[in-house]
Amino acid sequence: RRPDPAPLMVWLLGRGEKRTELTFLAEREAAPPQLTPKDVLTLVPYGRFCNATKFAGEVDVMEALAAVRAQYRIDAARIAVAGFSMGGGSAWHLATHYPGLWAVASPGAGFAETPIFTKADAPNKEPRPAWERLLWRQYEATGIAGNLLNLPTLAYTGELDGQKEASDLMEAAMQREGLKLERFIGPQTAHRYHDATKAALTQRLEELLAKGRDPQPRDVRFQTYTLRYPESAWVRVEGLGRHWELAEVRATRRDDRHVTAQTRNVAAIAFPGLTAATVTLDGQELRAEGAGLRFHRDGNTWR
């Protein structure tokens, strides 16, 4: 029995369209995941078949994570998410949509958005309707790259891998947010891990897991298109001005009693864990008391 709570890595699987439950179990018995940081428990969810942890696959991951945390002593500040290929796409999704959950993310190859990866706008493709393009935003990581402000992200790809495109797009998206993506590129390598590069990546992953995440970061930047994904750290969006359009919060917590936030397309917001506080929202100062402070917009005024 470990004397201290253990770090955990959630490893997300690559594409396997013939992977049944029995095949999944046989894979688990045959070999460990492609990344194996030292002294770290690893959870490999089935992911509800081959869907890149979207919809029911995402539910499967979160239910599996909850079950492990209920049955083992897991350090909540030292949970990583990682995967390769389709699992890399899964890692980009879960990192950007649940940024307050992870200490570190390591997407390998994969994809981060829909139209470019699927070549939806290729000349021979039927134009996609506006409503479909709008709904792509539910899972796109590129549009909410600002959520990685407090989440160290280690992106791996082979130099010759066509799926290097995902890291390239996320690097550009993060640059637009003033953030820098930490990249590991396997030299002259196609769609697999390069041994020496994987060793360096694993060492960095271990360092960041040992450090853990700050549960109360001073600054939080949170972006979302839907209330399906409402929060990061101590900021929770509870109402949108217009759904499926980008909503954003940039908040600074001086201490438990003073918060300043700028918002965009946000109609209601909460600060879980705060009690009596002075909160300045979009330049308007409000004084509030009680656990879990909530504010809503009334026209141009916050209440």
Side-chain angles (χ1 to χ4, degrees), residues 40-60:
V40 174
L41 292 178
T42 301
L43 166 64
V44 185
Y46 180 55
R48 213 76 65 90
F49 191 58
C50 184
N51 57 22
T53 71
K54 305 301 192 289
F55 298 102
E58 180 183 317
V59 173
D60 191 46

Side-chain angles (χ1 to χ4, degrees), residues 97-289:
H97 288 79
Y98 295 92
L101 178 58
W102 319 106
V104 55
S106 185
F111 43 89
E113 48 68 62
T114 300
I116 297 174
F117 180 71
T118 62
K119 298 180 174 57
D121 294 324
N124 61 330
K125 294 288 187 72
E126 178 182 351
R128 309 319 304 160
W131 62 264
E132 180 179 325
R133 292 180 176 276
L134 203 64
L135 293 178
W136 286 344
R137 295 176 176 178
Q138 177 165 347
Y139 288 132
E140 287 185 348
T142 48
I144 55 173
N147 289 350
L148 300 178
L149 171 68
N150 295 312
L151 175 54
T153 303
L154 315 176
Y156 171 82
T157 185
E159 185 180 14
L160 306 180
D161 191 347
Q163 291 185 13
K164 179 175 176 290
E165 180 178 74
S167 297
D168 294 342
L169 291 171
M170 284 302 297
E171 182 175 46
M174 291 177 67
Q175 284 177 344
R176 290 192 291 271
E177 298 292 336
L179 305 176
K180 181 174 177 58
L181 177 63
E182 190 170 348
R183 299 189 65 172
F184 293 78
I185 300 176
Q188 294 299 302
T189 303
H191 193 60
R192 62 177 179 83
Y193 280 103
H194 177 269
D195 289 342
T197 309
K198 182 171 75 169
L201 169 64
T202 301
Q203 181 179 0
R204 181 67 172 139
L205 183 62
E206 291 169 348
E207 292 172 357
L208 291 167
L209 268 175
K211 179 181 179 182
R213 68 176 173 85
D214 181 356
Q216 302 290 345
R218 180 180 184 273
D219 297 301
V220 172
R221 187 183 309 171
F222 181 62
Q223 300 169 322
T224 188
Y225 288 99
T226 167
L227 294 180
R228 174 71 177 82
Y229 304 102
E231 64 188 348
S232 178
W234 46 269
V235 172
R236 180 178 176 87
V237 174
E238 297 192 335
L240 301 180
R242 186 175 178 85
H243 288 260
W244 303 110
E245 297 295 334
L246 183 66
E248 182 172 25
V249 179
R250 295 183 179 226
T252 298
R253 178 175 180 167
R254 195 171 74 204
D255 51 44
D256 285 348
R257 302 179 62 85
H258 298 87
V259 168
T260 301
Q262 294 290 323
T263 73
R264 167 186 174 186
N265 191 33
V266 174
I269 191 170
F271 300 102
L274 288 182
T275 53
T278 299
V279 177
T280 304
L281 285 173
D282 299 321
Q284 179 188 344
E285 186 174 290
L286 301 102
R287 174 72 184 173
E289 296 187 11

